[in-house]
Amino acid sequence: MTATIVTEPTLEQATALPWRAIARFAALATLCMSAYVLLHVAQSSRNPLDFIQPGADGPSALVIRADFPDDELPAGVGLDGQQYYAVARDPLHMRDDAAFLDRPRYRLQRPVFPLLAWVLHPSGGGTGLVVAFVLVGVAALFVGCLATGALSVTLGGPPWAAALFAATPGAFWSLRVTVADALALALALSAIAFAARSHQRRALACAILAVLTKEVALLVLIGWYLSNRSRRTAIMVGASTAAILAWAAMLRLALPADHAGVNEFGLPFVGLVRAASRFWFDHQELWGCASAVTALALASYVLVRHRLHHPLSGIVAVLVAFAAIMNSNVIGLNFGATRSMMGLLVVAALCAVTPHASRTIRP
């Protein structure tokens, strides 16, 4: 008699991805959010500069005035989008770009977002470069939705979870004011989705791109490692860490020291208390309040129910710890909280819609 060997199906065989359904939900969510952002800009100014939010006293005002001589810049320093724009005009000459940035080393350690816009519009600034940023932002939402949907199905959840990514307030602000948060999170979730399905090279490439888009994406990768410890996940985290450290070292050699240090963090929970007392209790910054409170409440539910047994609960724990040290502007303001809490909101929501994931994937 010949013995029959029965092998357990691999994760990919057990959960073949319904790409049509995932892409359908991803496209619908991306289209809806993009249309809302475009409508918002059309109602406010109909000026392409409104996408990068420059200010008359901002660090990038000089180059923006040169590219848009007929436009009067609003008062104030503006938001971060203007500095991504300044870098994308000529990303291969960092020393020249540094003159138009408030903290050159800090800003230039995030090169992927402006590089992608430059690839679409390599001929300097102007309206074409702003449009390129918008296209990159829309693509980031779509990729983030695809990664979220793929990860949901891989963990035993529904394909409609793909829409969660683009439905967040952080997705709105990332596209609305041209910042890198949505793209960094999209790449980090893509890395995890690839890793969960044993596509290690793709996972590694996405992980490195994620941390070079925004360095805090490394926290998502570290959280994944905490719940899924293996040699492969350690290599992914180690390579990503090495990439961001090597790039930071190169910037340190190439550029003068920043005049102002990083002031986005402080003592645990102080920023959260100040955000509530300064912004939320007076009914200001309500989107920031809703984002932070919803993300933390959902994260608390996930950690109480799953502890660290869910494949994504390590990410939730790391992002909650990170939220505890954010200052009041980062976790309190509409512009800051919606983006800083976006990763926690999306990952905690994924945990909620995949309650049996610990049975589906094993580290």
Side-chain angles (χ1 to χ4, degrees):
M1 175 181 283
T2 303
T4 301
I5 300 176
V6 179
T7 59
E8 186 177 354
T10 65
L11 176 63
E12 190 165 357
Q13 290 171 334
T15 55
L17 294 179
W19 277 116
R20 288 186 179 180
I22 292 172
R24 185 164 58 249
F25 286 113
L28 179 62
T30 301
L31 179 62
C32 289
M33 180 56 76
S34 301
Y36 178 56
V37 169
L38 292 174
L39 179 63
H40 194 273
V41 173
Q43 290 178 335
S44 61
S45 70
R46 296 186 179 181
N47 189 328
L49 277 179
D50 204 21
F51 275 107
I52 60 173
Q53 295 284 305
D57 301 319
S60 308
L62 187 61
V63 295
I64 293 173
R65 286 193 178 103
D67 292 344
F68 298 91
D70 298 328
D71 291 287
E72 183 177 353
L73 301 185
V77 297
L79 298 179
D80 294 349
Q82 62 182 313
Q83 301 192 67
Y84 285 112
Y85 173 90
V87 174
R89 293 173 78 252
D90 190 10
L92 303 182
H93 295 86
M94 294 185 297
R95 288 182 179 272
D96 295 336
D97 296 336
F100 311 115
L101 308 175
D102 57 359
R103 293 175 286 175
R105 288 183 184 176
Y106 177 71
R107 299 298 178 183
L108 287 167
Q109 71 184 7
R110 304 166 176 179
V112 172
F113 186 45
L115 275 172
L116 289 175
W118 173 78
V119 168
L120 293 180
H121 188 272
S123 56
T127 300
L129 184 57
V130 176
V131 172
F133 269 115
V134 174
L135 293 177
V136 173
V138 172
L141 296 190
F142 185 64
V143 171
C145 287
L146 290 179
T148 303
L151 193 52
S152 173
V153 174
T154 299
L155 300 177
W160 58 257
L164 292 173
F165 188 95
T168 61
F172 168 82
W173 281 103
S174 293
L175 183 58
R176 177 65 181 82
V177 298
T178 308
V179 285
D181 301 79
L183 179 60
L185 181 60
L187 289 167
L189 292 178
S190 296
I192 290 174
F194 281 130
R197 302 185 69 82
S198 299
H199 298 303
Q200 300 306 322
R201 293 183 180 178
R202 299 175 191 175
L204 183 59
C206 288
I208 292 174
L209 288 173
V211 299
L212 291 176
T213 301
K214 194 166 184 178
E215 66 286 346
V216 294
L218 183 62
L219 298 175
V220 176
L221 306 177
I222 292 173
W224 172 254
Y225 170 76
L226 291 179
S227 291
N228 304 273
R229 297 186 185 183
S230 69
R231 180 174 174 271
R232 290 178 173 178
T233 55
I235 290 174
M236 184 171 71
V237 172
S240 302
T241 303
I244 194 64
L245 290 177
W247 180 247
M250 192 192 78
L251 292 177
R252 188 178 183 87
L253 294 174
L255 301 173
D258 293 344
H259 297 296
V262 176
N263 58 4
E264 283 80 4
F265 311 110
L267 295 174
F269 304 108
V270 172
L272 188 61
V273 172
R274 288 179 176 173
S277 61
R278 292 179 179 178
F279 307 127
W280 301 344
F281 290 162
D282 294 333
H283 303 290
Q284 304 176 57
E285 310 298 330
L286 295 181
W287 277 112
C289 175
S291 297
V293 171
T294 303
L296 291 172
L298 195 55
S300 299
Y301 164 78
V302 167
L303 293 177
V304 168
R305 176 171 180 176
H306 297 289
R307 298 183 183 179
L308 292 180
H309 300 307
H310 192 286
L312 301 179
S313 57
I315 303 175
V316 173
V318 169
L319 293 182
V320 167
F322 186 62
I325 63 171
M326 294 176 184
N327 74 17
S328 58
N329 288 342
V330 175
I331 200 171
L333 298 176
N334 289 343
F335 171 68
T338 52
R339 298 177 299 118
S340 65
M341 304 304 287
M342 183 181 179
L344 181 58
L345 187 58
V346 172
V347 176
L350 270 175
C351 290
V353 301
T354 57
H356 305 298
S358 57
R359 304 175 187 175
T360 306
I361 182 171
R362 300 178 179 88

